[in-house]
Amino acid sequence: MRSIWRTLDKGTAAAVAAACCAVGLFGVSYGASTIAAGFPVWMPIVMAVTVLAGGSELLFFGIVAAGGSPLAAVVAGLLLNARHLPYGLSAPEVFGSGWRRALGIHVLNDESVAFATAPGDQDRKRAAYWACGIGVALCWPLGAALGAGLGSLVPDTSALGLDAVFPVILLALILPALRDRATLRPVLVGAALAVVVAPFVPAGLPVLIALGGLVFALRPPQPTRTEPVAA
């Protein structure tokens, strides 16, 4: 841990802290909304510690609260978490080895991967990944516990705007990558798909359907230009 904080510059450390605080605030909204839907207090807290994937947890509770079967909710959550496979392949060098690798995989999430794939040297990427991953692993369950405790007092957390903090932070993290047109095209297609289907499918599924935008990330092979040979 000491080497992590020695490696991080002030700007990156502040960005990691902001992302973790946003996750904690979103966890408050998640815990409160889960209790308002009728689930026991312990359930969102246990899920936050063991699953540690906000989108999948929200999708699970959303499907069950809407009358769906728990098995279908688990399958939907696993499908949504399938995005972690390309996440892991995109930055395998940050996990380390042995027990650290197991812990590093557990703390893999949208925010930590965003820091691990940001521009910079390898030591800074590894330090930012671990700082954000551990921070999220602490702030998410703490926020869920606080939200679960406050759930009966503030049943309508959307009125406080807490649900908007998380997507705003994620958007700020990915904005630099959107300067590349090859990245921007599939992102816009995926976002459009999510917006179109959102009124008609359960919460969480629009994110999964947005993965269809990845089709537009596939580039056809570019023909090799051959220089004419002078006679």
Side-chain angles (χ1 to χ4, degrees), residues 22-183:
V23 168
L25 289 174
F26 185 52
V28 174
S29 174
Y30 156 69
S33 60
T34 304
I35 300 308
F39 293 96
V41 172
W42 61 266
M43 205 166 180
I45 302 172
V46 171
M47 291 276 281
V49 173
T50 57
V51 179
L52 194 58
S56 296
E57 295 169 44
L58 286 168
L59 180 59
F60 174 85
F61 285 116
I63 292 176
V64 174
S69 73
L71 179 60
V74 169
V75 172
L78 290 174
L79 286 174
L80 184 58
N81 264 2
R83 71 187 189 282
H84 286 193
L85 176 60
Y87 282 180
L89 294 175
S90 65
E93 64 280 357
V94 300
F95 298 129
S97 59
W99 65 269
R100 292 182 179 177
R101 189 172 188 82
L103 178 61
I105 293 173
H106 181 62
V107 301
L108 183 148
N109 52 61
D110 298 327
E111 297 79 13
S112 60
V113 171
F115 281 105
T117 56
D121 61 81
Q122 191 56 45
D123 288 341
R124 193 203 65 81
K125 289 182 179 180
R126 184 183 297 109
Y129 173 84
W130 278 95
C132 185
I134 293 174
V136 169
L138 294 174
C139 291
W140 177 248
L142 288 175
L146 180 59
L150 296 174
S152 59
L153 301 177
V154 189
D156 185 13
T157 55
S158 61
L160 301 178
L162 296 179
D163 52 336
V165 176
F166 183 65
V168 168
I169 291 294
L170 278 182
L171 180 62
L173 289 174
I174 66 171
L175 274 180
L178 299 184
R179 296 172 183 168
D180 180 15
R181 289 189 176 184
T183 303

Side-chain angles (χ1 to χ4, degrees), residues 197-219:
V197 302
F200 310 105
V201 299
L205 277 185
V207 178
L208 194 61
I209 294 173
L211 293 177
L214 290 176
V215 174
F216 291 85
L218 302 176
R219 292 179 176 180

